[in-house]
Amino acid sequence: AVFTAFGLSTSAGLNAYLPLLIVALTAKYTDLITLQAPFDALTNPWVIAVLVVLLIIELVADKVPLVDHANDVIQTVIRPAAGAILFAGTSNAVSDIHPVFAMALGIISAGGVHATKATVRPVITATTGGLGNPVMSVAEDILAFTVSVMSILVPILTFIAMVVSGALLWRWWRKRKRDRLAAGTMTVSGPPSTT
């Protein structure tokens, strides 16, 4: 359950409503997830309908340059909150883990992914003139869907894949940072003096 919770809350950092909707439908129509109160409210038909509407809005808004940046600002609160609900609701927080601790883990998981997305997206906008935004958004939606489904079906494998991916991303980022510092040092020092 904890591995499922980590996967779902992480995918909420990319799209808040997609993993919530997947969990709601899975809990309502299958035995793969059982939500305890108060999280079982996600299976209410009205809640599912609202999630569908919010997901459609999110899918459209995230594809439009500039609108996607405004959406990311709004989602700064919503995505970590969705991550907290997903982590606490799917990890049996009421009985196994303290709910506050579970929600904090969900906020950190979703918030970290959202912060990365919100940092990378303006760079993509600037380097592609906004043409890369819809492509990146579709890739994020596919990734959020895949991670959500895989977190329910094969949670341990999904968790391992997320840890390995995170480690590779961290390593790449540190190497890139070192390369930039090295390039900056070379240009500052300039050519040797001939006098």
Side-chain angles (χ1 to χ4, degrees):
V2 172
F3 293 123
T4 297
F6 267 114
L8 291 168
S9 62
T10 300
S11 65
L14 294 172
N15 185 315
Y17 309 113
L18 189 57
L20 282 170
L21 183 60
I22 289 170
V23 166
L25 294 173
T26 303
K28 185 166 182 69
Y29 296 110
T30 73
D31 296 338
L32 295 173
I33 292 179
T34 303
L35 298 174
Q36 298 177 356
F39 306 106
D40 60 344
L42 282 174
T43 61
N44 182 299
W46 287 105
V47 173
I48 291 172
V50 168
L51 287 173
V52 168
V53 171
L54 291 173
L55 176 60
I56 291 168
I57 293 168
E58 166 84 4
L59 291 174
V60 172
D62 203 43
K63 309 288 183 285
V64 180
L66 298 178
V67 174
D68 64 339
H69 300 308
N71 182 52
D72 279 341
V73 171
I74 295 166
Q75 296 294 326
T76 299
V77 174
I78 296 170
R79 288 180 184 143
I85 291 167
L86 287 162
F87 199 103
T90 58
S91 66
N92 296 323
V94 176
S95 59
D96 297 344
I97 301 174
H98 194 283
V100 174
F101 180 65
M103 291 186 125
L105 289 175
I107 289 170
I108 292 167
S109 298
V113 172
H114 170 72
T116 303
K117 174 184 174 169
T119 303
V120 170
R121 192 58 80 85
V123 174
I124 292 169
T125 301
T127 57
T128 66
L131 297 176
N133 291 31
V135 175
M136 191 66 180
S137 179
V138 169
E140 291 165 354
D141 295 337
I142 291 169
L143 184 60
F145 176 82
T146 304
V147 170
S148 296
V149 171
M150 296 302 287
S151 294
I152 293 168
L153 298 177
V154 283
I156 295 173
L157 181 62
T158 305
F159 181 76
I160 291 169
M162 287 172 27
V163 169
V164 169
S165 299
L168 291 173
L169 184 63
W170 175 256
R171 189 172 166 199
W172 171 82
W173 180 77
R174 288 191 42 122
K175 182 184 180 310
R176 186 173 167 157
K177 187 176 177 181
R178 277 194 309 266
D179 291 347
R180 278 195 212 156
L181 288 173
T185 305
M186 286 183 203
T187 55
V188 171
S189 61
S193 174
T194 55
T195 57

